[in-house]
Amino acid sequence: MGNAGVDDDRNILTSVAMTLEAEGFEVETYNDGQQAFDAFSKKLPDMAVLDIKMPRMDGMDLLQRLRQKSQMPVIFLTSKDDEIDEVLGLRMGADDYVKKPFSQRLLVERIRALLRRQDAQNGEVVAETEETKVIERGYLRMDPLRHAVSWKGQDVSLTVTEFLLLQALAQRPGFVKSRDQLMDVAYDDQVYVDDRTIDSHIKRLRKKLRVVDAEFSAIETLYGIGYRYNEE
């Protein structure tokens, strides 16, 4: 698999490239958006990891140009102050985002999840495990291999993080998942996130599902405890 990393912080760029190469990926790195765009115009990688804030051409502009020619997976690297940019990036077609500082393992897991989805969409055979089995809960249908979600037959586009949280809740309807348990699903022990981060993901998840069904209420909040999926 060919991956492209674009970041103006050389330390991050070098560190991410070394980790991905150690995991068996072929990696090309670029210091700014224009340099990356010029290279992508000649040959597109299988996926790209982009910093939002870059010189010459920022991540938003680069994503917009990429989406004119390709639907390849794109992950944004964002800082804690980039929440508005995250939302805009997702609307423009980014597949997921990872906040700085992040662990290398977390990024690798996100990349593998998106590439599995891409392989499945391209018709390639992907091994099925307990975590990749199709989930059907009432109106909800989740296909982890294809990273596909539908509610009442209508497709819902989720980031990898949102997908993982919904999957964790829907796998055991009626059982409460604490915020700490959901953090373990979406992140790892090398990255600290507070309760508000999980709450924000759940809020966006509900909002997306309510776009296709204004009456959606399957995700219940138990204040001070966590969240529960109630099968409808």
Side-chain angles (χ1 to χ4, degrees):
M1 287 289 184
N3 293 267
V6 190
D7 198 304
D8 61 336
D9 186 323
R10 289 184 178 275
N11 292 329
I12 291 178
L13 201 59
T14 301
S15 176
V16 168
M18 291 177 62
T19 297
L20 293 179
E21 287 172 345
E23 292 289 331
F25 295 105
E26 295 179 14
V27 183
E28 296 290 339
T29 60
Y30 307 97
N31 297 314
D32 62 67
Q34 185 63 56
Q35 186 184 41
F37 180 73
D38 291 343
F40 295 168
S41 296
K42 297 174 184 176
K43 182 182 179 181
L44 283 171
D46 294 303
M47 75 168 298
V49 180
L50 311 178
D51 196 346
I52 283 185
K53 296 175 180 177
M54 298 183 295
R56 298 181 68 199
M57 184 189 299
D58 67 21
M60 293 296 183
D61 288 339
L62 179 54
L63 174 65
Q64 188 173 30
R65 296 191 186 194
L66 285 175
R67 283 294 173 256
Q68 292 174 3
K69 62 173 64 179
S70 172
Q71 292 301 311
M72 72 176 186
V74 171
I75 295 177
F76 269 142
L77 301 182
T78 70
S79 71
K80 63 181 179 180
D81 300 321
D82 287 339
E83 186 168 351
I84 294 176
D85 287 341
E86 287 166 5
V87 174
L88 179 58
L90 294 172
R91 287 176 181 169
M92 291 171 59
D95 296 278
D96 202 9
Y97 62 87
V98 175
K99 280 185 176 292
K100 301 176 184 177
F102 56 88
S103 76
Q104 304 289 352
R105 185 166 68 85
L106 175 67
L107 181 59
V108 169
E109 288 173 355
R110 292 292 189 271
I111 289 171
R112 291 197 184 284
L114 286 171
L115 290 176
R116 282 197 302 270
R117 181 193 71 177
Q118 193 77 354
D119 288 345
Q121 289 176 343
N122 292 338
E124 297 181 28
V125 176
V126 181
E128 184 178 273
T129 66
E130 190 64 32
E131 293 301 312
T132 61
K133 288 182 178 178
V134 172
I135 296 173
E136 293 186 336
R137 300 284 185 267
Y139 297 126
L140 176 69
R141 187 180 192 277
M142 303 186 71
D143 185 343
L145 279 179
R146 290 170 175 77
H147 192 80
V149 179
S150 65
W151 179 265
K152 292 186 176 180
Q154 297 186 67
D155 292 338
V156 182
S157 178
L158 301 182
T159 67
V160 173
T161 304
E162 292 162 352
F163 189 98
L164 291 172
L165 292 174
L166 180 58
Q167 183 182 27
L169 291 167
Q171 280 177 333
R172 301 194 71 189
F175 286 80
V176 178
K177 288 281 188 180
S178 69
R179 288 177 176 81
D180 285 343
Q181 289 173 317
L182 293 175
M183 286 178 197
D184 289 341
V185 169
Y187 296 94
D188 64 35
D189 56 11
Q190 299 179 53
V191 178
Y192 171 76
V193 296
D194 59 25
D195 290 352
R196 290 174 297 177
T197 301
I198 297 299
D199 293 341
S200 294
H201 284 306
I202 295 294
K203 182 179 179 180
R204 282 195 288 267
L205 179 56
R206 282 186 177 131
K207 186 175 181 179
K208 288 183 177 182
L209 285 157
R210 284 172 180 159
V211 168
V212 300
D213 180 3
E215 302 301 318
F216 175 82
S217 60
I219 300 176
E220 178 185 2
T221 301
L222 289 89
Y223 292 99
I225 302 174
Y227 295 94
R228 174 170 59 199
Y229 184 88
N230 296 316
E231 190 168 351
E232 298 187 9

